[in-house]
PDB file of all heavy atoms in Angstrom:
ATOM      1  N   ASP P  44     151.682  75.386  36.345  1.00 94.00           N
ATOM      2  CA  ASP P  44     151.136  76.730  35.789  1.00 94.00           C
ATOM      3  C   ASP P  44     150.903  76.654  34.324  1.00 94.00           C
ATOM      4  O   ASP P  44     150.758  77.664  33.538  1.00 94.00           O
ATOM      5  CB  ASP P  44     152.212  77.748  36.039  1.00 94.00           C
ATOM      6  CG  ASP P  44     152.431  78.171  37.379  1.00 94.00           C
ATOM      7  OD1 ASP P  44     151.358  78.128  38.209  1.00 94.00           O
ATOM      8  OD2 ASP P  44     153.471  78.552  37.877  1.00 94.00           O
ATOM      9  N   VAL P  45     150.657  75.462  33.716  1.00 96.00           N
ATOM     10  CA  VAL P  45     150.353  75.206  32.380  1.00 96.00           C
ATOM     11  C   VAL P  45     149.167  76.020  31.979  1.00 96.00           C
ATOM     12  O   VAL P  45     148.236  76.172  32.809  1.00 96.00           O
ATOM     13  CB  VAL P  45     150.278  73.699  31.925  1.00 96.00           C
ATOM     14  CG1 VAL P  45     149.030  73.179  32.546  1.00 96.00           C
ATOM     15  CG2 VAL P  45     150.227  73.585  30.374  1.00 96.00           C
ATOM     16  N   PRO P  46     149.211  76.801  30.898  1.00 97.00           N
ATOM     17  CA  PRO P  46     147.971  77.431  30.470  1.00 97.00           C
ATOM     18  C   PRO P  46     146.792  76.636  30.177  1.00 97.00           C
ATOM     19  O   PRO P  46     147.016  75.608  29.620  1.00 97.00           O
ATOM     20  CB  PRO P  46     148.398  78.191  29.116  1.00 97.00           C
ATOM     21  CG  PRO P  46     149.883  78.342  29.317  1.00 97.00           C
ATOM     22  CD  PRO P  46     150.268  77.158  30.097  1.00 97.00           C
ATOM     23  N   ILE P  47     145.618  77.022  30.750  1.00 98.00           N
ATOM     24  CA  ILE P  47     144.454  76.152  30.507  1.00 98.00           C
ATOM     25  C   ILE P  47     143.338  76.984  30.006  1.00 98.00           C
ATOM     26  O   ILE P  47     142.980  78.056  30.486  1.00 98.00           O
ATOM     27  CB  ILE P  47     143.972  75.556  31.984  1.00 98.00           C
ATOM     28  CG1 ILE P  47     145.020  74.704  32.594  1.00 98.00           C
ATOM     29  CG2 ILE P  47     142.689  74.765  31.773  1.00 98.00           C
ATOM     30  CD1 ILE P  47     144.729  74.259  34.113  1.00 98.00           C
ATOM     31  N   ILE P  48     142.762  76.439  28.871  1.00 98.00           N
ATOM     32  CA  ILE P  48     141.554  77.019  28.328  1.00 98.00           C
ATOM     33  C   ILE P  48     140.472  76.129  28.487  1.00 98.00           C
ATOM     34  O   ILE P  48     140.570  74.889  28.062  1.00 98.00           O
ATOM     35  CB  ILE P  48     141.772  77.326  26.738  1.00 98.00           C
ATOM     36  CG1 ILE P  48     142.882  78.297  26.535  1.00 98.00           C
ATOM     37  CG2 ILE P  48     140.388  77.923  26.187  1.00 98.00           C
ATOM     38  CD1 ILE P  48     143.146  78.774  25.152  1.00 98.00           C
ATOM     39  N   ILE P  49     139.371  76.517  29.082  1.00 97.00           N
ATOM     40  CA  ILE P  49     138.196  75.658  29.316  1.00 97.00           C
ATOM     41  C   ILE P  49     137.321  75.816  28.017  1.00 97.00           C
ATOM     42  O   ILE P  49     137.084  76.935  27.519  1.00 97.00           O
ATOM     43  CB  ILE P  49     137.183  76.098  30.470  1.00 97.00           C
ATOM     44  CG1 ILE P  49     138.095  76.081  31.804  1.00 97.00           C
ATOM     45  CG2 ILE P  49     135.930  75.365  30.532  1.00 97.00           C
ATOM     46  CD1 ILE P  49     138.435  74.642  32.222  1.00 97.00           C
ATOM     47  N   VAL P  50     137.029  74.660  27.325  1.00 96.00           N
ATOM     48  CA  VAL P  50     136.220  74.628  26.140  1.00 96.00           C
ATOM     49  C   VAL P  50     135.057  73.820  26.503  1.00 96.00           C
ATOM     50  O   VAL P  50     135.089  72.519  26.652  1.00 96.00           O
ATOM     51  CB  VAL P  50     137.042  74.019  24.993  1.00 96.00           C
ATOM     52  CG1 VAL P  50     136.227  73.971  23.748  1.00 96.00           C
ATOM     53  CG2 VAL P  50     138.305  74.765  24.817  1.00 96.00           C
ATOM     54  N   THR P  51     133.834  74.445  26.570  1.00 93.00           N
ATOM     55  CA  THR P  51     132.762  73.758  27.140  1.00 93.00           C
ATOM     56  C   THR P  51     131.428  74.122  26.523  1.00 93.00           C
ATOM     57  O   THR P  51     131.291  75.232  25.937  1.00 93.00           O
ATOM     58  CB  THR P  51     132.587  73.939  28.697  1.00 93.00           C
ATOM     59  OG1 THR P  51     131.524  73.210  29.256  1.00 93.00           O
ATOM     60  CG2 THR P  51     132.509  75.338  29.100  1.00 93.00           C
ATOM     61  N   SER P  52     130.389  73.364  26.723  1.00 92.00           N
ATOM     62  CA  SER P  52     128.970  73.776  26.295  1.00 92.00           C
ATOM     63  C   SER P  52     128.299  74.513  27.433  1.00 92.00           C
ATOM     64  O   SER P  52     127.252  75.125  27.278  1.00 92.00           O
ATOM     65  CB  SER P  52     128.191  72.482  25.933  1.00 92.00           C
ATOM     66  OG  SER P  52     128.175  71.628  27.042  1.00 92.00           O
ATOM     67  N   LYS P  53     128.792  74.472  28.641  1.00 89.00           N
ATOM     68  CA  LYS P  53     128.283  75.351  29.753  1.00 89.00           C
ATOM     69  C   LYS P  53     128.543  76.708  29.445  1.00 89.00           C
ATOM     70  O   LYS P  53     129.697  77.139  29.206  1.00 89.00           O
ATOM     71  CB  LYS P  53     128.840  74.799  31.005  1.00 89.00           C
ATOM     72  CG  LYS P  53     128.450  73.446  31.531  1.00 89.00           C
ATOM     73  CD  LYS P  53     129.093  73.141  32.871  1.00 89.00           C
ATOM     74  CE  LYS P  53     128.430  71.967  33.468  1.00 89.00           C
ATOM     75  NZ  LYS P  53     127.517  72.176  34.524  1.00 89.00           N
ATOM     76  N   ASN P  54     127.454  77.548  29.547  1.00 86.00           N
ATOM     77  CA  ASN P  54     127.651  78.946  29.137  1.00 86.00           C
ATOM     78  C   ASN P  54     127.088  80.019  30.091  1.00 86.00           C
ATOM     79  O   ASN P  54     127.016  81.121  29.702  1.00 86.00           O
ATOM     80  CB  ASN P  54     127.159  79.154  27.735  1.00 86.00           C
ATOM     81  CG  ASN P  54     125.718  78.906  27.723  1.00 86.00           C
ATOM     82  OD1 ASN P  54     124.985  78.599  28.639  1.00 86.00           O
ATOM     83  ND2 ASN P  54     124.961  79.150  26.502  1.00 86.00           N
ATOM     84  N   SER P  55     126.964  79.619  31.356  1.00 91.00           N
ATOM     85  CA  SER P  55     126.539  80.531  32.330  1.00 91.00           C
ATOM     86  C   SER P  55     127.740  81.411  32.886  1.00 91.00           C
ATOM     87  O   SER P  55     128.781  80.885  32.916  1.00 91.00           O
ATOM     88  CB  SER P  55     125.739  79.802  33.385  1.00 91.00           C
ATOM     89  OG  SER P  55     126.583  79.193  34.296  1.00 91.00           O
ATOM     90  N   ASP P  56     127.327  82.477  33.514  1.00 94.00           N
ATOM     91  CA  ASP P  56     128.344  83.257  34.084  1.00 94.00           C
ATOM     92  C   ASP P  56     129.036  82.525  35.275  1.00 94.00           C
ATOM     93  O   ASP P  56     130.270  82.648  35.397  1.00 94.00           O
ATOM     94  CB  ASP P  56     127.749  84.561  34.652  1.00 94.00           C
ATOM     95  CG  ASP P  56     127.429  85.542  33.567  1.00 94.00           C
ATOM     96  OD1 ASP P  56     127.905  85.332  32.284  1.00 94.00           O
ATOM     97  OD2 ASP P  56     126.666  86.528  33.796  1.00 94.00           O
ATOM     98  N   ILE P  57     128.199  81.770  36.004  1.00 95.00           N
ATOM     99  CA  ILE P  57     128.803  80.953  37.113  1.00 95.00           C
ATOM    100  C   ILE P  57     129.779  80.027  36.650  1.00 95.00           C
ATOM    101  O   ILE P  57     130.773  79.756  37.403  1.00 95.00           O
ATOM    102  CB  ILE P  57     127.711  80.408  38.012  1.00 95.00           C
ATOM    103  CG1 ILE P  57     128.261  79.872  39.381  1.00 95.00           C
ATOM    104  CG2 ILE P  57     126.989  79.305  37.275  1.00 95.00           C
ATOM    105  CD1 ILE P  57     128.674  80.919  40.340  1.00 95.00           C
ATOM    106  N   ASP P  58     129.519  79.281  35.502  1.00 94.00           N
ATOM    107  CA  ASP P  58     130.488  78.382  34.869  1.00 94.00           C
ATOM    108  C   ASP P  58     131.825  79.075  34.633  1.00 94.00           C
ATOM    109  O   ASP P  58     132.877  78.513  34.870  1.00 94.00           O
ATOM    110  CB  ASP P  58     129.954  77.695  33.652  1.00 94.00           C
ATOM    111  CG  ASP P  58     128.688  76.824  34.081  1.00 94.00           C
ATOM    112  OD1 ASP P  58     128.763  76.065  35.033  1.00 94.00           O
ATOM    113  OD2 ASP P  58     127.699  76.926  33.253  1.00 94.00           O
ATOM    114  N   GLU P  59     131.725  80.185  34.002  1.00 94.00           N
ATOM    115  CA  GLU P  59     132.880  80.864  33.659  1.00 94.00           C
ATOM    116  C   GLU P  59     133.663  81.384  34.893  1.00 94.00           C
ATOM    117  O   GLU P  59     134.906  81.190  35.008  1.00 94.00           O
ATOM    118  CB  GLU P  59     132.611  82.126  32.766  1.00 94.00           C
ATOM    119  CG  GLU P  59     133.810  82.846  32.263  1.00 94.00           C
ATOM    120  CD  GLU P  59     133.514  83.852  31.150  1.00 94.00           C
ATOM    121  OE1 GLU P  59     132.339  83.978  30.701  1.00 94.00           O
ATOM    122  OE2 GLU P  59     134.510  84.495  30.567  1.00 94.00           O
ATOM    123  N   LEU P  60     132.932  81.870  35.825  1.00 95.00           N
ATOM    124  CA  LEU P  60     133.531  82.344  37.089  1.00 95.00           C
ATOM    125  C   LEU P  60     134.157  81.257  37.957  1.00 95.00           C
ATOM    126  O   LEU P  60     135.385  81.374  38.329  1.00 95.00           O
ATOM    127  CB  LEU P  60     132.386  82.977  38.021  1.00 95.00           C
ATOM    128  CG  LEU P  60     132.873  83.551  39.361  1.00 95.00           C
ATOM    129  CD1 LEU P  60     133.911  84.669  39.087  1.00 95.00           C
ATOM    130  CD2 LEU P  60     131.678  84.008  40.149  1.00 95.00           C
ATOM    131  N   MET P  61     133.502  79.964  37.963  1.00 95.00           N
ATOM    132  CA  MET P  61     134.153  78.817  38.559  1.00 95.00           C
ATOM    133  C   MET P  61     135.419  78.373  37.906  1.00 95.00           C
ATOM    134  O   MET P  61     136.345  78.183  38.520  1.00 95.00           O
ATOM    135  CB  MET P  61     133.102  77.751  38.718  1.00 95.00           C
ATOM    136  CG  MET P  61     132.029  77.938  39.775  1.00 95.00           C
ATOM    137  SD  MET P  61     130.828  76.570  39.762  1.00 95.00           S
ATOM    138  CE  MET P  61     131.718  75.197  40.060  1.00 95.00           C
ATOM    139  N   SER P  62     135.311  78.447  36.546  1.00 96.00           N
ATOM    140  CA  SER P  62     136.548  78.032  35.864  1.00 96.00           C
ATOM    141  C   SER P  62     137.739  78.954  36.041  1.00 96.00           C
ATOM    142  O   SER P  62     138.823  78.511  36.387  1.00 96.00           O
ATOM    143  CB  SER P  62     136.198  78.030  34.332  1.00 96.00           C
ATOM    144  OG  SER P  62     135.250  77.135  34.068  1.00 96.00           O
ATOM    145  N   ILE P  63     137.506  80.161  36.105  1.00 96.00           N
ATOM    146  CA  ILE P  63     138.640  81.197  36.387  1.00 96.00           C
ATOM    147  C   ILE P  63     139.002  81.186  37.790  1.00 96.00           C
ATOM    148  O   ILE P  63     140.251  80.962  38.041  1.00 96.00           O
ATOM    149  CB  ILE P  63     138.144  82.506  35.943  1.00 96.00           C
ATOM    150  CG1 ILE P  63     137.659  82.698  34.529  1.00 96.00           C
ATOM    151  CG2 ILE P  63     139.187  83.628  36.311  1.00 96.00           C
ATOM    152  CD1 ILE P  63     138.755  82.404  33.453  1.00 96.00           C
ATOM    153  N   ASN P  64     138.081  80.934  38.785  1.00 96.00           N
ATOM    154  CA  ASN P  64     138.509  80.848  40.142  1.00 96.00           C
ATOM    155  C   ASN P  64     139.261  79.479  40.388  1.00 96.00           C
ATOM    156  O   ASN P  64     140.090  79.477  41.291  1.00 96.00           O
ATOM    157  CB  ASN P  64     137.240  80.937  41.019  1.00 96.00           C
ATOM    158  CG  ASN P  64     136.699  82.333  41.183  1.00 96.00           C
ATOM    159  OD1 ASN P  64     137.563  83.239  41.023  1.00 96.00           O
ATOM    160  ND2 ASN P  64     135.496  82.454  41.498  1.00 96.00           N
ATOM    161  N   PHE P  65     138.945  78.420  39.585  1.00 96.00           N
ATOM    162  CA  PHE P  65     139.752  77.162  39.865  1.00 96.00           C
ATOM    163  C   PHE P  65     141.073  77.182  39.125  1.00 96.00           C
ATOM    164  O   PHE P  65     141.801  76.238  39.101  1.00 96.00           O
ATOM    165  CB  PHE P  65     138.930  76.009  39.448  1.00 96.00           C
ATOM    166  CG  PHE P  65     137.858  75.701  40.442  1.00 96.00           C
ATOM    167  CD1 PHE P  65     136.529  75.286  40.076  1.00 96.00           C
ATOM    168  CD2 PHE P  65     138.128  75.737  41.763  1.00 96.00           C
ATOM    169  CE1 PHE P  65     135.666  75.005  41.003  1.00 96.00           C
ATOM    170  CE2 PHE P  65     137.060  75.445  42.681  1.00 96.00           C
ATOM    171  CZ  PHE P  65     135.919  75.071  42.328  1.00 96.00           C
ATOM    172  N   GLY P  66     141.382  78.272  38.345  1.00 96.00           N
ATOM    173  CA  GLY P  66     142.738  78.344  37.752  1.00 96.00           C
ATOM    174  C   GLY P  66     142.813  78.424  36.206  1.00 96.00           C
ATOM    175  O   GLY P  66     143.859  78.540  35.690  1.00 96.00           O
ATOM    176  N   ALA P  67     141.665  78.392  35.556  1.00 97.00           N
ATOM    177  CA  ALA P  67     141.652  78.442  34.100  1.00 97.00           C
ATOM    178  C   ALA P  67     142.111  79.861  33.621  1.00 97.00           C
ATOM    179  O   ALA P  67     141.880  80.790  34.302  1.00 97.00           O
ATOM    180  CB  ALA P  67     140.268  78.115  33.493  1.00 97.00           C
ATOM    181  N   ASP P  68     142.757  79.896  32.445  1.00 97.00           N
ATOM    182  CA  ASP P  68     143.258  81.238  31.975  1.00 97.00           C
ATOM    183  C   ASP P  68     142.264  81.724  30.985  1.00 97.00           C
ATOM    184  O   ASP P  68     142.343  82.987  30.800  1.00 97.00           O
ATOM    185  CB  ASP P  68     144.590  80.994  31.235  1.00 97.00           C
ATOM    186  CG  ASP P  68     145.663  80.398  32.248  1.00 97.00           C
ATOM    187  OD1 ASP P  68     146.165  81.242  33.001  1.00 97.00           O
ATOM    188  OD2 ASP P  68     145.998  79.355  32.157  1.00 97.00           O
ATOM    189  N   ASP P  69     141.405  80.956  30.385  1.00 97.00           N
ATOM    190  CA  ASP P  69     140.483  81.540  29.431  1.00 97.00           C
ATOM    191  C   ASP P  69     139.327  80.524  29.338  1.00 97.00           C
ATOM    192  O   ASP P  69     139.349  79.386  29.925  1.00 97.00           O
ATOM    193  CB  ASP P  69     141.200  81.569  28.045  1.00 97.00           C
ATOM    194  CG  ASP P  69     140.367  82.552  27.103  1.00 97.00           C
ATOM    195  OD1 ASP P  69     139.259  83.020  27.556  1.00 97.00           O
ATOM    196  OD2 ASP P  69     140.924  82.930  26.065  1.00 97.00           O
ATOM    197  N   PHE P  70     138.169  80.907  28.881  1.00 96.00           N
ATOM    198  CA  PHE P  70     136.882  80.220  28.835  1.00 96.00           C
ATOM    199  C   PHE P  70     136.286  80.397  27.460  1.00 96.00           C
ATOM    200  O   PHE P  70     136.079  81.601  27.160  1.00 96.00           O
ATOM    201  CB  PHE P  70     136.061  80.677  29.930  1.00 96.00           C
ATOM    202  CG  PHE P  70     134.729  79.983  30.117  1.00 96.00           C
ATOM    203  CD1 PHE P  70     134.522  78.853  31.037  1.00 96.00           C
ATOM    204  CD2 PHE P  70     133.549  80.337  29.464  1.00 96.00           C
ATOM    205  CE1 PHE P  70     133.431  78.262  31.298  1.00 96.00           C
ATOM    206  CE2 PHE P  70     132.451  79.764  29.685  1.00 96.00           C
ATOM    207  CZ  PHE P  70     132.359  78.682  30.619  1.00 96.00           C
ATOM    208  N   ILE P  71     135.944  79.424  26.698  1.00 96.00           N
ATOM    209  CA  ILE P  71     135.311  79.549  25.450  1.00 96.00           C
ATOM    210  C   ILE P  71     134.099  78.513  25.375  1.00 96.00           C
ATOM    211  O   ILE P  71     134.318  77.357  25.822  1.00 96.00           O
ATOM    212  CB  ILE P  71     136.255  79.418  24.292  1.00 96.00           C
ATOM    213  CG1 ILE P  71     135.606  79.743  22.989  1.00 96.00           C
ATOM    214  CG2 ILE P  71     136.882  78.007  24.221  1.00 96.00           C
ATOM    215  CD1 ILE P  71     136.604  80.086  21.863  1.00 96.00           C
ATOM    216  N   THR P  72     132.972  78.949  24.808  1.00 94.00           N
ATOM    217  CA  THR P  72     131.819  78.044  24.882  1.00 94.00           C
ATOM    218  C   THR P  72     131.666  77.453  23.468  1.00 94.00           C
ATOM    219  O   THR P  72     131.900  77.997  22.471  1.00 94.00           O
ATOM    220  CB  THR P  72     130.604  78.799  25.218  1.00 94.00           C
ATOM    221  OG1 THR P  72     130.352  79.881  24.405  1.00 94.00           O
ATOM    222  CG2 THR P  72     130.600  79.228  26.766  1.00 94.00           C
ATOM    223  N   LYS P  73     131.102  76.240  23.451  1.00 92.00           N
ATOM    224  CA  LYS P  73     130.754  75.465  22.244  1.00 92.00           C
ATOM    225  C   LYS P  73     129.355  75.983  21.847  1.00 92.00           C
ATOM    226  O   LYS P  73     128.429  76.190  22.762  1.00 92.00           O
ATOM    227  CB  LYS P  73     130.714  74.002  22.467  1.00 92.00           C
ATOM    228  CG  LYS P  73     131.875  73.391  22.945  1.00 92.00           C
ATOM    229  CD  LYS P  73     131.785  72.008  23.297  1.00 92.00           C
ATOM    230  CE  LYS P  73     132.916  71.330  24.108  1.00 92.00           C
ATOM    231  NZ  LYS P  73     132.698  70.041  24.608  1.00 92.00           N
ATOM    232  N   PRO P  74     128.929  75.994  20.583  1.00 91.00           N
ATOM    233  CA  PRO P  74     129.955  75.909  19.499  1.00 91.00           C
ATOM    234  C   PRO P  74     130.830  77.112  19.396  1.00 91.00           C
ATOM    235  O   PRO P  74     130.328  78.191  19.668  1.00 91.00           O
ATOM    236  CB  PRO P  74     129.074  75.711  18.297  1.00 91.00           C
ATOM    237  CG  PRO P  74     127.721  76.493  18.583  1.00 91.00           C
ATOM    238  CD  PRO P  74     127.621  76.309  20.097  1.00 91.00           C
TER     239      PRO P  74
END
């Protein structure tokens, strides 16, 4: 259950949705 923040250059809604659905706690885009 470790907290996971996705930090990525992918910035579409589907990328954020997939990240959250796979268990990420937060999503932040580069830069």
Side-chain angles (χ1 to χ4, degrees):
D44 288 330
V45 66
I47 299 172
I48 299 178
I49 300 293
V50 183
T51 184
S52 58
K53 291 186 167 248
N54 62 359
S55 74
D56 288 344
I57 192 71
D58 294 312
E59 186 170 0
L60 181 61
M61 286 177 59
S62 297
I63 300 303
N64 284 338
F65 285 139
D68 298 286
D69 203 348
F70 183 93
I71 190 166
T72 58
K73 300 172 191 171

